Amino acid sequence: MKQTDFVGGFAKGLKVIEAFDAESPRLSIADIAVSTGLDRATARRCLLTLVELGFARYDGKYFELTPKVLRLGHAYLAATPLPRLIQPLLDHLSEDVGQSASASVLEGTEIVYIARASQRRVMSINLVPGSRLPAWCASMGRVLLAALPVSEARAVLERSTIQANTPSTKVSIQALLAELDLVREQGFALVDQELELGLCSMAVPLLDTRGSVVAAVNIGAPAVQMAASEVRARYLAGLRHLQAELRPLMN
Amino acid sequence: MKQTDFVGGFAKGLKVIEAFDAESPRLSIADIAVSTGLDRATARRCLLTLVELGFARYDGKYFELTPKVLRLGHAYLAATPLPRLIQPLLDHLSEDVGQSASASVLEGTEIVYIARASQRRVMSINLVPGSRLPAWCASMGRVLLAALPVSEARAVLERSTIQANTPSTKVSIQALLAELDLVREQGFALVDQELELGLCSMAVPLLDTRGSVVAAVNIGAPAVQMAASEVRARYLAGLRHLQAELRPLMN
DNA sequence: CCCTTAATGTGCGATATATGAACAAATATC
DNA sequence: GATATTTGTTCATATATCGCACATTAAGGG
């Protein structure tokens, strides 16, 4: 790529949008300049541009994003075949088994939810398309990591911030790599309360017609109601069925 | 705003992202140039920038967005207090009544979903935060329009593309304005199969501590199970309760 | 209340970007 | 298979942006 094929102002503006998060929903010009590393003047121009376009509001002191930015994320969901194809299958599966079902893809060290059919909430946090979880401790993350060459999977794990969320959490890279071997061998991942107490989740990979892993799908169940072995017995068939249904549609 | 306080390259790049939608998930450089009105050279530079940043992929012919763009929309959901405050209340309400509950805000002529707790699917389309519906025919849209000065509400209606979705759909601006008067008077909107056959939905406005309408919340029910009058009898109290719970939190 | 410190706004030269035309390459049409 | 048409890429140049330094305003402290 040539130097002239890159629009710096665009890249900087996107960094500004990404600077807004839960810890800092309202940001001043100086805040943005610090967190993005941009010059204050540049940050200010990007912010005023966002305001002008209706993506942000300004009260003279602080900027905040408007719901219009959801348009951008939605452009992906509306435009990409995979989320649209998966959604009805997830709905069906979720209703069949009476538990929440989700689909996600790998993005760096995290999984990104691209579709979800939710039943009663089990997890402490609400998941919607666009939500992210660390790959190493999520069932779909394990499935997606297992699909990578071992060296790449290891590289992702080494870049991840690994910490024990519960007493059961596997935290050593060695243990996680061994787990990925197991996942690869059996064709599914079962995570029993490693992410959150009371949550047991099982995932399988989704393949396209060429056999490449394009996403993962999972079912989450309250661990108080059933043991991990029961989760496997009850939900594996449904997941495999969805896997088989989707495959011919993806090419 | 001064001329120099606007970053053209940023604005053009955002237009490029918005150019992707369900009808055109994969776009060539020329496609983008046409749909955005940008010069082909400029469109190309924006697209290559997106690829460089990981927001898009390029196979040498067509561009498509990657899940990374969900980051942008999610920046709003994570950063804005309203969606985060409403979500647990919606979960609770939804579970109580056994129907889906949602919250949305007005954006031009459309409502944008900012939070949702879904039960079994009633509507034909899947709704997630970021989804949009025309305001004039949705219960939350009616509530949000009713909160505007009449002249503004009329202006929005006149800009809207109004069409009969079902035999019950109110399509005349006059009828819709009368409906808004009723909504304003009774403090809620009840839409009985005007958007989609078999769907009945009721909404109330959400106010902040100063009494301004900041969003709307609704419950959707299958019309085959219950008449509109029953929807009102069963769900109004729950909606009002949520309304009262949220108000002191919004300032 | 004044002084200090920090944050925001502004003008300007250096630098990077947008433009449209020209060319090359690939498709479509006949 | 030759021609027309669309598409992608490159280039020179006019133009807009960037980042710095300075001016201005607001905030905090004694």
Side-chain angles (χ1 to χ4, degrees):
Chain A
M1 160 121 87
K2 292 175 49 183
Q3 178 67 10
T4 124
D5 288 341
F6 189 75
V7 183
F10 183 22
K12 287 166 188 161
L14 292 173
K15 276 180 84 170
V16 168
I17 295 179
E18 292 187 272
F20 289 88
D21 63 14
E23 287 75 47
S24 39
R26 290 160 51 80
L27 295 166
S28 68
I29 292 174
D31 294 336
I32 294 273
V34 169
S35 66
T36 58
L38 299 173
D39 186 87
R40 277 202 345 274
T42 305
R44 178 171 172 270
R45 282 188 287 259
C46 288
L47 286 164
L48 291 175
T49 302
L50 283 171
V51 172
E52 184 72 13
L53 297 174
F55 289 106
R57 263 189 295 268
Y58 185 37
D59 61 11
K61 176 72 186 169
Y62 293 105
F63 290 86
E64 55 186 6
L65 297 176
T66 70
K68 190 173 178 184
V69 298
L70 286 170
R71 261 207 152 86
L72 303 173
H74 221 65
Y76 166 77
L77 291 177
T80 309
L82 185 57
R84 294 192 297 152
L85 289 171
I86 292 183
Q87 186 65 53
L89 303 179
L90 281 183
D91 286 338
H92 190 227
L93 173 63
S94 169
E95 187 146 348
D96 261 15
V97 301
Q99 303 288 354
S100 297
S102 311
S104 67
V105 296
L106 191 63
E107 228 265 310
T109 65
E110 297 177 309
I111 59 169
V112 183
Y113 281 73
I114 59 172
R116 178 166 166 89
S118 56
Q119 301 283 337
R120 280 159 285 87
R121 178 89 72 84
V122 175
M123 283 191 71
S124 59
I125 61 163
N126 183 47
L127 294 168
V128 295
S131 295
R132 287 159 181 275
L133 288 178
W136 63 273
C137 61
S139 62
M140 291 189 284
R142 299 253 171 102
V143 158
L144 294 168
L145 290 175
L148 297 177
V150 176
S151 62
E152 278 186 48
R154 177 190 288 274
V156 171
L157 290 176
E158 281 166 356
R159 276 188 290 138
S160 302
T161 311
I162 296 176
Q163 55 173 2
N165 301 307
T166 75
S168 326
T169 310
K170 293 186 175 68
V171 291
S172 82
I173 297 220
Q174 202 169 5
L176 289 168
L177 283 171
E179 182 68 20
L180 294 187
D181 286 338
L182 178 64
V183 168
R184 211 173 292 116
E185 188 189 316
Q186 61 191 10
F188 65 86
L190 191 52
V191 171
D192 187 10
Q193 307 185 72
E194 291 188 50
L195 177 57
E196 184 173 325
L197 277 177
L199 174 69
C200 184
S201 160
M202 184 163 62
V204 300
L206 294 178
L207 314 171
D208 62 16
T209 46
R210 287 181 300 282
S212 312
V213 172
V214 293
V217 58
N218 89 337
I219 291 177
V224 287
Q225 282 174 22
M226 63 188 91
S229 59
E230 197 183 343
V231 168
R232 172 181 172 166
R234 287 169 73 158
Y235 303 138
L236 185 56
L239 288 168
R240 288 254 183 263
H241 182 68
L242 192 158
Q243 192 181 39
E245 275 184 310
L246 185 83
R247 185 161 180 177
L249 304 176
M250 291 299 301
N251 49 18
Chain B
M1 159 121 90
K2 292 176 48 184
Q3 178 68 7
T4 111
D5 288 340
F6 189 76
V7 183
F10 183 22
K12 286 167 189 159
L14 292 173
K15 275 179 85 170
V16 168
I17 295 179
E18 292 186 274
F20 289 88
D21 64 13
E23 287 74 48
S24 39
R26 289 161 50 80
L27 295 166
S28 68
I29 292 174
D31 293 336
I32 294 273
V34 169
S35 67
T36 58
L38 299 173
D39 187 86
R40 283 210 315 282
T42 305
R44 177 171 173 270
R45 295 157 60 80
C46 288
L47 287 164
L48 291 174
T49 302
L50 283 172
V51 171
E52 184 70 13
L53 298 173
F55 289 105
R57 265 189 294 267
Y58 185 35
D59 61 11
K61 176 71 185 168
Y62 293 105
F63 290 85
E64 55 186 6
L65 298 177
T66 70
K68 190 173 179 185
V69 298
L70 286 170
R71 261 206 152 84
L72 303 173
H74 222 65
Y76 166 78
L77 290 177
T80 309
L82 185 58
R84 293 191 297 152
L85 289 171
I86 292 183
Q87 186 66 52
L89 303 179
L90 281 183
D91 287 338
H92 190 226
L93 174 63
S94 168
E95 188 147 345
D96 261 14
V97 302
Q99 302 289 353
S100 297
S102 311
S104 67
V105 296
L106 191 63
E107 229 265 310
T109 65
E110 298 177 308
I111 59 170
V112 184
Y113 281 74
I114 59 171
R116 179 166 166 90
S118 55
Q119 302 282 337
R120 279 159 285 85
R121 178 90 72 84
V122 176
M123 283 191 71
S124 58
I125 61 163
N126 184 47
L127 294 169
V128 295
S131 295
R132 285 156 182 276
L133 287 177
W136 63 273
C137 62
S139 62
M140 292 190 282
R142 299 253 172 102
V143 158
L144 294 168
L145 290 176
L148 298 177
V150 176
S151 61
E152 277 186 48
R154 178 190 287 274
V156 172
L157 290 176
E158 280 166 355
R159 276 187 290 136
S160 303
T161 312
I162 297 177
Q163 56 173 2
N165 302 308
T166 76
S168 327
T169 310
K170 293 186 174 67
V171 292
S172 83
I173 297 220
Q174 202 169 7
L176 288 168
L177 284 171
E179 182 68 20
L180 294 187
D181 287 338
L182 179 63
V183 168
R184 211 174 292 116
E185 188 189 316
Q186 61 192 10
F188 65 86
L190 190 52
V191 171
D192 186 10
Q193 308 185 68
E194 290 189 51
L195 176 58
E196 184 174 325
L197 277 177
L199 174 70
C200 184
S201 159
M202 183 164 61
V204 299
L206 295 177
L207 314 173
D208 62 16
T209 47
R210 288 180 300 283
S212 312
V213 171
V214 293
V217 58
N218 89 337
I219 291 177
V224 286
Q225 283 174 19
M226 63 188 92
S229 59
E230 197 183 343
V231 168
R232 173 182 171 164
R234 287 169 72 157
Y235 303 139
L236 185 56
L239 288 169
R240 288 255 183 262
H241 181 69
L242 191 157
Q243 192 181 37
E245 277 184 309
L246 186 82
R247 186 161 180 177
L249 303 176
M250 290 299 301
N251 49 21

